[in-house]
Amino acid sequence: DQPYKDDQLTPVALLAIAPSIIVTNPSNPANNLKEFVENAKKNHTDRITFSTAGMGSTPDFVGEMVKQETGLPIQQIAYKSGSEGVTAVMSNQVNATSEASIVTLPLIKAGKLKALATTWVHKLASAPEIKTTAEEGYPNIRIGHWEGLYAATGTPADILDKMNAAVRQATKSKEVLDALSKSSIEPGSGTRKEFTQFTQDERTRLGKVVKKGNMKAN
C-alpha cells in the first residue's frame, strides 16, 4: 500500500519514462509479438503463462492488455519482483513477461531473452530493431514505467513551479541524457499542468483495463 493518499500529493514533474519490452525465452520460435500470437492460435495453445511482479504491477497490466487485445489464454503468474519474473522466463518456467528496458535490454543483447515488442509509443533508441506493439498491430497494448516528482498538497504554487523548472533543466543536461539513453529511457519534460494531465489520462486509460479484466488484488 502507498503511505500517502492521492489527495495528499500534488504532481510536480515527470522525471523519466522507461519503456517496457515484452520478452520470451530465446528458444521460442516467434521473432515478434505478431508471430507469438499467430503461433499460439495456430497450435491451439490453451494456456500461456505470463510472469508479473504482483497485482497492479506494470507487467500485470501488460499481461492483461495482451490477453484483452489478442484473445490469447494468458495466465498471469505473480512473482515477488520483476527480476524474479524475468528469471522465470530465462529458465523457461513461464512463457513470457514484460519489464523495463533498463532490466531487459542487457539480457536481450546477451542472448538470454528474446524481444517481442516494446510497449511504449516510440521505438527504442538503443535497439531500433525492436518493433512497438502498435507496429505489431496492437496499439492498445501501451504502457511505460514512469517516475514523477510529487509534493505535499498545499505547497505554494511558486515553489512547485521552481521545482518543475529545476527538474526540466536537469533532464536536459548531457550527463543525464547520456545515462538515460543507454537504456532508451526518455527524460521527463513538460509543465506541472501537462504532468497532471498525463497522470489523469493514464489513470483513466488503465482503469478501463482493470474494469474490463476484473483485475483484483490477491
Side-chain angles (χ1 to χ4, degrees):
D1 294 336
Q2 294 186 128
Y4 303 101
K5 294 181 180 179
D6 287 344
D7 61 4
Q8 293 179 297
L9 297 173
T10 297
V12 176
L14 179 63
L15 297 175
I17 300 176
S20 278
I21 304 176
I22 300 174
V23 293
T24 188
N25 189 278
S27 64
N28 193 297
N31 293 309
N32 52 56
L33 183 59
K34 186 177 181 181
E35 288 184 8
F36 186 85
V37 174
E38 290 174 347
N39 289 348
K41 291 183 176 181
K42 181 174 63 178
N43 297 327
H44 303 289
T45 305
D46 59 5
R47 187 178 81 131
I48 294 175
T49 50
F50 197 99
S51 57
T52 78
M55 172 62 196
S57 64
T58 301
D60 189 42
F61 272 98
V62 174
E64 184 60 38
M65 288 175 181
V66 172
K67 183 178 182 179
Q68 293 180 16
E69 297 300 319
T70 68
L72 292 183
I74 298 289
Q75 180 182 353
Q76 281 116 304
I77 308 293
Y79 285 78
K80 292 181 180 179
S81 66
S83 60
E84 287 190 15
V86 167
T87 299
V89 175
M90 289 192 293
S91 59
N92 246 338
Q93 294 176 17
V94 296
N95 301 122
T97 191
S98 174
E99 204 30 88
S101 57
I102 194 169
V103 174
T104 51
L105 267 181
L107 296 171
I108 292 167
K109 293 184 176 183
K112 296 180 179 180
L113 290 173
K114 181 187 284 186
L116 296 178
T118 174
T119 65
W120 194 232
V121 294
H122 311 299
K123 279 190 172 183
L124 302 166
S126 55
E129 69 278 5
I130 303 173
K131 291 185 177 181
T132 66
T133 45
E135 289 176 314
E136 292 293 329
Y138 305 103
N140 291 328
I141 302 175
R142 174 169 57 88
I143 198 169
H145 297 252
W146 61 267
E147 293 186 356
L149 177 65
Y150 289 77
T153 297
T155 301
D158 62 327
I159 300 298
L160 297 176
D161 287 338
K162 288 179 181 177
M163 293 170 66
N164 175 273
V167 169
R168 293 170 70 181
Q169 184 64 35
T171 53
K172 292 178 182 178
S173 72
K174 185 178 185 302
E175 292 80 6
V176 171
L177 292 174
D178 287 348
L180 295 179
S181 67
K182 293 177 181 178
S183 298
S184 293
I185 298 175
E186 296 183 15
S189 62
T191 63
R192 285 199 296 121
K193 183 178 180 180
E194 288 171 335
F195 179 43
T196 299
Q197 188 64 53
F198 172 81
T199 60
Q200 291 173 347
D201 290 346
E202 285 295 273
R203 178 168 296 183
T204 299
R205 186 174 67 87
L206 297 178
K208 293 177 182 177
V209 176
V210 170
K211 185 175 182 180
K212 184 176 181 180
N214 194 29
M215 297 171 68
K216 296 182 183 297
N218 296 327

